[in-house]
Amino acid sequence: MTYAMGEALQTAVYQRLVSDPEVTDLTKGAVFDSVPDPAPDLFVALGPEKVRNRSDNTGPGASHEFRVSVVTRRQGYLAAKSVAACISDAMIKTTLTLSRGSVVFLRFVRAEARRDEGEGTRRIDLWFQARLADHTTEQRIRNFE
């Protein structure tokens, strides 16, 4: 198993979202790994992930299930749904390029829209799954042989 590509995946997802013109236009560039205080009234935040071992006879790998959230203080879900649709399109239209390893596949898993009465927000959580192969580790092993 390897978690070594977690940083590379997060960086690639963030870069994909901040470089997408539609996401940037709809959020006015409010895409965050760490949400500032005070937060804008509509923003995108990278969230938690679950990682499982997916190593096989070709080498080490992992399956990363990660969340991208659209959060708004605006009334209704329409603005958040527009951003969520753009995020979904941006994530699956081309393969992510990682600084370590490679993406075997990336797919949309599920979404959940809900209200947070306590914070006065609406949010849409989008979950994606990325299967990653760590060729770097495989190459290191070969170098020692």
Side-chain angles (χ1 to χ4, degrees), residues 1-18:
M1 168 166 177
T2 184
Y3 187 68
M5 297 168 291
E7 180 183 358
L9 177 62
Q10 182 173 338
T11 300
V13 168
Y14 179 79
Q15 289 301 322
R16 169 65 52 83
L17 296 178
V18 298

Side-chain angles (χ1 to χ4, degrees), residues 37-111:
D37 187 23
D41 70 337
L42 175 68
F43 64 90
V44 174
L46 302 184
E49 68 181 332
K50 294 180 182 179
V51 181
R52 292 181 176 85
N53 182 23
R54 291 297 179 253
S55 300
D56 57 25
N57 63 352
T58 64
S63 175
H64 292 248
E65 192 169 295
F66 61 93
R67 183 178 77 192
V68 177
S69 299
V70 180
V71 182
T72 185
R73 288 186 173 80
R74 298 177 185 173
Q75 294 296 315
Y77 281 100
L78 187 58
K81 285 185 178 184
S82 294
V83 174
C86 289
I87 289 169
S88 185
D89 289 344
M91 291 302 299
I92 61 174
K93 68 181 168 188
T94 59
T95 302
L96 294 173
T97 302
L98 305 181
S99 60
R100 176 173 177 173
S102 63
V103 177
V104 176
F105 70 81
L106 174 67
R107 68 182 183 99
F108 170 78
V109 177
R110 68 182 182 278

